[in-house]
Amino acid sequence: MSKRKSRLDREAIAAAAIAIADKEGFDAVSMRRIAEELKVGTMSLYYYVKTKQDLLAVVDDALMSEAILPLLPKGWKRAILQIAKRTHAIFIRHPWALVSMLSAPPGINAMRHMEQCLEALAETSLTAKQKLTLLVTVDDFVFGHALRQSARDAAVDVDFVTAQLASGAFPRTAELFGDGRVEAKNNRFEKGLEALLDRFSK
């Protein structure tokens, strides 16, 4: 008779931690809260996750698994763009990760992510140093854009702004933002990233 698979493992712990952080912020994540979420005893978690740093590593590894493309598209710029969009989407879905995961040690999925990025650049004539510069620059753009978008989304009172634009008191601002001529967020992100990648084209 095959053993029944336990519902408790590192992946389940990471998923519970992410669910808590999405609802309440990462400061709310604790072994006790994770145990409550999984309906298990707190001490049972320590068999799988020993320390807070280990918990960070497990959560970061789960998030980084979402950044890996199942298949790289052809063309290095298209491939890097798709990887960057996928990574950007993680931080939009989980904005707490932008700060809370900074001290997380790199895990296997972070290494797979790096390897996939380098695979995308294998067809270029860039040197190793240029490849690293490109990837670090793309990361800075992705993280910076996601951080700004998350902060802006959290701060803007859409109803208030809409009412003020409709009042006629701000005609120039209404002309800029009120008639659909400003590009959508995703388009701005993609165009900015494409312009950045063009600087590295040979």
Side-chain angles (χ1 to χ4, degrees):
M1 183 182 293
S2 62
K3 287 186 178 181
R4 187 176 167 189
K5 185 179 178 182
S6 170
R7 69 178 180 219
L8 191 58
D9 54 24
R10 288 169 70 88
E11 290 75 18
I13 291 169
I18 290 170
I20 294 165
D22 284 345
K23 289 184 287 186
E24 304 170 37
F26 195 73
D27 286 345
V29 176
S30 67
M31 298 299 259
R32 181 184 61 79
R33 284 287 288 107
I34 294 171
E36 289 175 0
E37 189 84 7
L38 294 173
K39 296 179 173 55
V40 299
T42 302
M43 294 308 296
S44 64
L45 300 181
Y46 287 96
Y47 178 80
Y48 302 94
V49 178
K50 309 297 184 187
T51 64
K52 184 63 179 281
Q53 192 70 0
D54 198 16
L55 178 60
L56 283 176
V58 168
V59 171
D60 186 68
D61 200 52
L63 293 173
M64 289 307 301
S65 71
E66 299 178 29
I68 300 167
L69 293 177
L71 183 67
L72 275 178
K74 292 183 179 179
W76 75 266
K77 283 200 288 186
R78 186 179 171 202
I80 293 295
L81 178 62
Q82 291 304 312
I83 294 170
K85 285 172 61 179
R86 199 174 177 98
T87 306
H88 182 264
I90 293 171
F91 293 118
I92 297 303
R93 287 195 301 273
H94 314 291
W96 49 269
L98 283 161
V99 174
S100 300
M101 294 295 104
L102 286 176
S103 62
I108 189 66
N109 284 318
M111 295 181 68
R112 287 171 178 154
H113 170 66
M114 183 66 172
E115 184 70 16
Q116 187 170 67
C117 291
L118 292 173
E119 182 183 350
L121 297 177
E123 68 179 65
T124 71
S125 59
L126 297 173
T127 65
K129 184 177 180 180
Q130 288 171 329
K131 289 175 182 177
L132 182 59
T133 299
L134 184 153
L135 294 178
V136 169
T137 304
V138 169
D139 273 353
D140 287 345
F141 182 83
V142 169
F143 297 154
H145 189 282
L147 183 62
R148 183 178 180 186
Q149 182 173 323
S150 296
R152 185 171 54 235
D153 289 348
V156 173
D157 184 334
V158 176
D159 291 339
F160 171 78
V161 173
T162 301
Q164 294 305 312
L165 293 180
S167 72
F170 304 95
R172 292 181 179 83
T173 305
E175 182 182 9
L176 182 63
F177 291 101
D179 61 2
R181 280 186 286 173
V182 176
E183 294 174 296
K185 295 173 189 174
N186 288 341
N187 287 341
R188 293 202 303 271
F189 172 73
E190 287 186 33
K191 288 198 171 184
L193 188 55
E194 286 171 355
L196 187 157
L197 294 177
D198 284 343
R199 297 292 298 272
F200 288 87
S201 296
K202 292 237 176 181

Tab-separated table of all heavy atoms in Angstrom, residues 1-6:
chain	number	residue	atom	x	y	z
A	1	MET	N	0.855	-1.201	0.000
A	1	MET	CA	0.000	0.000	0.000
A	1	MET	C	0.884	1.241	0.000
A	1	MET	O	1.811	1.342	0.795
A	1	MET	CB	-0.891	0.002	1.252
A	1	MET	CG	-1.855	1.181	1.277
A	1	MET	SD	-2.850	1.206	2.797
A	1	MET	CE	-3.825	-0.285	2.546
A	2	SER	N	0.616	2.156	-0.922
A	2	SER	CA	1.429	3.376	-0.997
A	2	SER	C	1.074	4.315	0.143
A	2	SER	O	-0.078	4.385	0.574
A	2	SER	CB	1.184	4.091	-2.333
A	2	SER	OG	-0.150	4.467	-2.434
A	3	LYS	N	2.100	5.007	0.608
A	3	LYS	CA	1.889	5.958	1.687
A	3	LYS	C	1.107	7.163	1.189
A	3	LYS	O	1.337	7.654	0.086
A	3	LYS	CB	3.231	6.422	2.250
A	3	LYS	CG	3.915	5.356	3.079
A	3	LYS	CD	5.161	5.953	3.728
A	3	LYS	CE	5.835	4.908	4.605
A	3	LYS	NZ	7.031	5.439	5.265
A	4	ARG	N	0.228	7.609	2.013
A	4	ARG	CA	-0.543	8.797	1.666
A	4	ARG	C	0.357	10.025	1.765
A	4	ARG	O	1.067	10.202	2.752
A	4	ARG	CB	-1.704	8.928	2.652
A	4	ARG	CG	-2.675	10.027	2.297
A	4	ARG	CD	-3.823	9.995	3.277
A	4	ARG	NE	-4.622	11.169	3.194
A	4	ARG	CZ	-5.574	11.436	4.056
A	4	ARG	NH1	-5.805	10.625	5.059
A	4	ARG	NH2	-6.296	12.538	3.924
A	5	LYS	N	0.385	10.837	0.749
A	5	LYS	CA	1.267	11.996	0.718
A	5	LYS	C	0.809	13.048	1.718
A	5	LYS	O	-0.361	13.397	1.780
A	5	LYS	CB	1.286	12.605	-0.691
A	5	LYS	CG	2.292	13.742	-0.805
A	5	LYS	CD	2.315	14.301	-2.207
A	5	LYS	CE	3.284	15.462	-2.290
A	5	LYS	NZ	3.300	16.058	-3.630
A	6	SER	N	1.756	13.522	2.521
A	6	SER	CA	1.448	14.567	3.497
A	6	SER	C	1.104	15.860	2.781
A	6	SER	O	1.679	16.182	1.738
A	6	SER	CB	2.660	14.778	4.413
A	6	SER	OG	2.459	15.922	5.208
